[in-house]
Amino acid sequence: MTIILVLIGIICHLIIYYTYLNQAKYRKGMLFAILLPEGALSNPEIQIIQQQYSRKIKINNRWMIVSYIPLIALHSLTTFQVLYFIGWLILMIFWLTKPFRQALIATIVLKQEHDWYVNDKQEVSGLLVNDDGDEYWRNGFTYDNANDRRVLIPRRAGIGITINTATRTGKIIKRSTIFITLLCCILISLMMIRTEFNSPKLQITQGQTIVIKYPMYSDNFLVEDIIGVSIVDNYPKVKKISGVVTLNSLRGYFRSSKLGEIRMYITKRNPPYIQIQTKSGYIFYNDKDPEKTNQWYKKLLVLHNQTVNMMKYKSNIK
């Protein structure tokens, strides 16, 4: 999980950083997504804005690099790691684009003061006005122009296209995107919180099947698949393959140097633990109440012994 989250973070980080780092360069007649005549670049105030922008975005980038440390450090605490990652990703988008928004506003102010307009004046309601289209671009990448019927517009900042959020279709796409994004974040957060505060539940069905219910990592196996059942005061040291690790629990699939791949459904520092050896590997389980753990152990042991005796009996008859 940690490797996947870090890789996603690095990819998003690099795309955002280098996309906006290059906005301080004069390209296609624009600086910070604002149309400017080339002569404006010699203005000392514009040069100061460029210098400040390059310095700020590099400083913000260093802070974002530092913010990877908690993400990696939370490797053993899956729930908190995922929740941190969601908040971290949102913060990264805001934090790395903040210098760009500041530079864009400062550049527009200078453009208006010095009358640095590129396009000819347009007639609006009988009056000639300057219109380079800068006011339709929010943050340089969001386009909002009710007078433009196009839905998809080439971006000023970065590559690709963006939507015209002033059109009916654009509004639907914008609202749907925001809704789906928020819904996904909420569902993922609730799912992780649910795994944090729910405990595994062991059940024995009438069909002689042992069921361990737990969000995302439920398990089941037949009583006849049990090779041995024992109760222990300690569990082996493990490395997570896929599962949920918190300060107080281990749930999911793990690997032990002695036992190989094992399934863990335990509350830490709360012995005893039931060790179940099956044909497919080892399973460790305990209840928050040690007395219930002992009761489950006795039930499983009785079922296992009954099954072994039944199999011996059938073998002797043959």
Side-chain angles (χ1 to χ4, degrees):
M1 178 66 78
T2 300
I3 294 175
I4 294 173
L5 294 180
V6 171
L7 284 176
I8 293 173
I10 290 174
I11 292 171
C12 294
H13 184 174
L14 291 176
I15 291 173
I16 295 172
Y17 176 66
Y18 284 106
T19 294
Y20 285 94
L21 180 65
N22 292 326
Q23 297 306 311
K25 299 177 181 179
Y26 186 70
R27 291 181 176 179
K28 298 179 180 180
M30 289 184 288
L31 182 70
F32 303 118
I34 302 299
L35 283 173
L36 289 175
E38 191 170 357
L41 299 179
S42 60
N43 183 282
E45 292 176 289
I46 286 291
Q47 293 174 357
I48 290 173
I49 292 174
Q50 288 176 296
Q51 293 169 3
Q52 290 178 339
Y53 175 77
S54 296
R55 180 176 58 83
K56 287 179 180 179
I57 195 170
K58 289 176 181 178
I59 291 173
N60 286 13
N61 184 56
R62 293 191 192 106
W63 279 111
M64 287 310 306
I65 292 173
V66 172
S67 69
Y68 279 90
I69 296 174
L71 179 64
I72 298 172
L74 289 169
H75 167 72
S76 60
L77 303 172
T78 308
T79 300
F80 299 107
Q81 185 185 49
V82 173
L83 294 177
Y84 176 85
F85 177 77
I86 293 172
W88 174 83
L89 201 59
I90 295 171
L91 176 64
M92 178 176 66
I93 295 171
F94 172 81
W95 187 244
L96 289 181
T97 58
K98 182 180 179 181
F100 176 80
R101 294 192 297 271
Q102 294 172 335
L104 181 145
I105 293 171
T107 303
I108 287 180
V109 171
L110 280 179
K111 178 175 179 174
Q112 293 171 346
E113 288 178 356
H114 294 278
D115 200 29
W116 287 333
Y117 289 95
V118 176
N119 296 323
D120 295 332
K121 290 186 176 182
Q122 305 292 322
E123 185 177 341
V124 178
S125 301
L127 298 174
L128 290 176
V129 296
N130 291 308
D131 185 10
D132 279 350
D134 300 323
E135 65 273 19
Y136 303 128
W137 289 91
R138 299 179 181 179
N139 302 322
F141 54 87
T142 303
Y143 185 71
D144 190 276
N145 184 1
N147 298 317
D148 191 341
R149 295 182 178 181
R150 293 177 299 172
V151 176
L152 300 177
I153 309 293
R155 287 180 182 272
R156 277 194 174 187
I159 59 175
I161 57 177
T162 187
I163 59 172
N164 182 359
T165 55
T167 63
R168 182 178 179 181
T169 303
K171 289 177 181 177
I172 293 173
I173 294 173
K174 176 185 175 181
R175 291 167 182 170
S176 299
T177 301
I178 293 173
F179 174 77
I180 292 172
T181 301
L182 289 176
L183 182 62
C184 288
C185 289
I186 292 171
L187 289 177
I188 291 172
S189 299
L190 290 176
M191 183 174 64
M192 298 308 299
I193 292 172
R194 182 185 173 207
T195 59
E196 172 70 20
F197 294 101
N198 280 351
S199 299
K201 300 297 181 183
L202 192 149
Q203 296 177 351
I204 302 174
T205 69
Q206 292 182 349
Q208 297 294 287
T209 299
I210 311 298
V211 178
I212 300 178
K213 291 187 176 181
Y214 185 71
M216 297 189 297
Y217 296 100
S218 294
D219 201 353
N220 65 82
F221 51 93
L222 297 173
V223 174
E224 61 186 44
D225 290 335
I226 297 176
I227 298 174
V229 182
S230 58
I231 193 160
V232 296
D233 290 326
N234 297 292
Y235 55 87
K237 292 183 178 179
V238 294
K239 291 184 178 180
K240 184 179 69 175
I241 298 175
S242 174
V244 176
V245 181
T246 69
L247 290 171
N248 299 311
S249 62
L250 293 169
R251 280 93 185 248
Y253 302 96
F254 297 80
R255 183 183 299 278
S256 164
S257 57
K258 294 183 179 179
L259 302 179
E261 292 188 7
I262 59 179
R263 288 158 284 176
M264 306 285 282
Y265 300 94
I266 66 169
T267 300
K268 298 177 182 177
R269 300 176 294 278
N270 189 41
Y273 310 96
I274 303 173
Q275 176 180 293
I276 308 169
Q277 183 182 4
T278 70
K279 294 178 181 179
S280 59
Y282 284 87
I283 299 171
F284 283 79
Y285 175 88
N286 74 330
D287 195 281
K288 288 185 177 180
D289 183 350
E291 182 59 33
K292 288 185 178 180
T293 300
N294 282 304
Q295 292 174 5
W296 277 118
Y297 164 68
K298 292 175 182 177
K299 290 180 181 179
L300 291 171
L301 185 61
V302 169
L303 282 174
H304 172 57
N305 290 334
Q306 289 176 347
T307 303
V308 170
N309 292 333
M310 181 64 69
M311 292 176 68
K312 287 181 179 179
Y313 174 75
K314 290 181 178 179
S315 177
N316 290 333
I317 291 177
K318 292 180 180 179

